[in-house]
Every structure is written in structure tokens, then in C-alpha cells.
Amino acid sequence: IAFTKKNQRLGDLAANTAVVNTKSPYSVNDTVFMNVVKDNYAVTFPQVLRLSDRDISIVNNVVNQWKKEHNDEMIERVAIKVKTVLNIDNEEKPIVFLYKLLKDYNYLAGD
């Protein structure tokens, strides 16, 4: 196994096959998906839809990282960048702002 490019077993080499692992190391918790109750939800930042999926994914990753490490400097820099790009004037704490942004995205993109 160690001597082949695809780590194939001897039987796989003879049969010209390979074993493929289809288990994903990711779960729904690793996505930007967030359950937002649709009744009476008021969108705060509709301009969130101007962000790309990649941008939203980065924001989500930063928020999740903040939950683990409480790196205030990183979350503040990302919040400032997002506010600048979307032309948002908001004085809330960066984590509160980004969390609302993600909720708005999930609400608006989920329709």
C-alpha cells in the first residue's frame, strides 16, 4: 500500500480498482446553515446578499473560531472589513454584528 501513488492494495492493483472513502469529515454544523425562525423575523442587513458564498463562509469560520478562542482582534478586523464593503454603519459589538449578518443571510438566502 505504501509504495503506490493511490495507496492501493495488491488485490486492487491486480483488479485495476481503488477503494474510495466517501465519509465526509464535515457535518451540517461546519456549514453556514443556521436555523432562523421565519415568523416575525426582521432583516437588519439586507445588503448581506452582496457578499459571495465564499465571503459568508469566511465570516462563519471567523465566528466559529471566535467561539473557541475569543480572538477579539480577528473578529473586529473582519467586522470592520464587512462593514466597509457593505457600507454599513453599526456600533454593535463585532460578534453581535457578524452573528446578525449570518442570520440575515440564512433568512434571505433560504427563501
Side-chain angles (χ1 to χ4, degrees):
I1 293 175
F3 298 113
T4 66
K5 287 182 183 177
K6 299 177 186 174
N7 296 326
Q8 293 170 288
R9 299 175 304 134
L10 193 54
D12 289 327
L13 287 171
N16 199 24
T17 61
V19 176
V20 178
N21 183 359
T22 60
K23 292 182 182 176
S24 175
Y26 303 106
S27 71
V28 72
N29 294 328
D30 298 314
T31 67
V32 296
F33 176 75
M34 178 187 300
N35 192 13
V36 178
V37 178
K38 301 281 185 180
D39 297 340
N40 301 323
Y41 183 80
V43 173
T44 308
F45 308 111
Q47 55 272 62
V48 68
L49 291 179
R50 293 191 350 228
L51 296 177
S52 69
D53 290 340
R54 183 174 180 268
D55 295 335
I56 288 296
S57 182
I58 290 169
V59 170
N60 187 59
N61 290 340
V62 168
V63 168
N64 288 335
Q65 194 68 27
W66 182 88
K67 289 177 184 176
K68 294 176 188 173
E69 299 175 3
H70 293 279
N71 185 339
D72 291 332
E73 182 183 339
M74 179 178 56
I75 200 105
E76 189 169 334
R77 283 194 329 234
V78 170
I80 289 169
K81 180 66 174 178
V82 170
K83 288 177 187 180
T84 302
V85 168
L86 296 179
N87 197 24
I88 293 174
D89 184 28
N90 179 280
E91 298 300 321
E92 292 178 305
K93 289 184 177 181
I95 188 63
V96 173
F97 165 70
L98 294 177
Y99 190 75
K100 280 185 182 179
L101 195 80
L102 290 171
K103 281 182 75 173
D104 286 352
Y105 175 81
N106 274 276
Y107 179 81
L108 293 170
D111 284 343

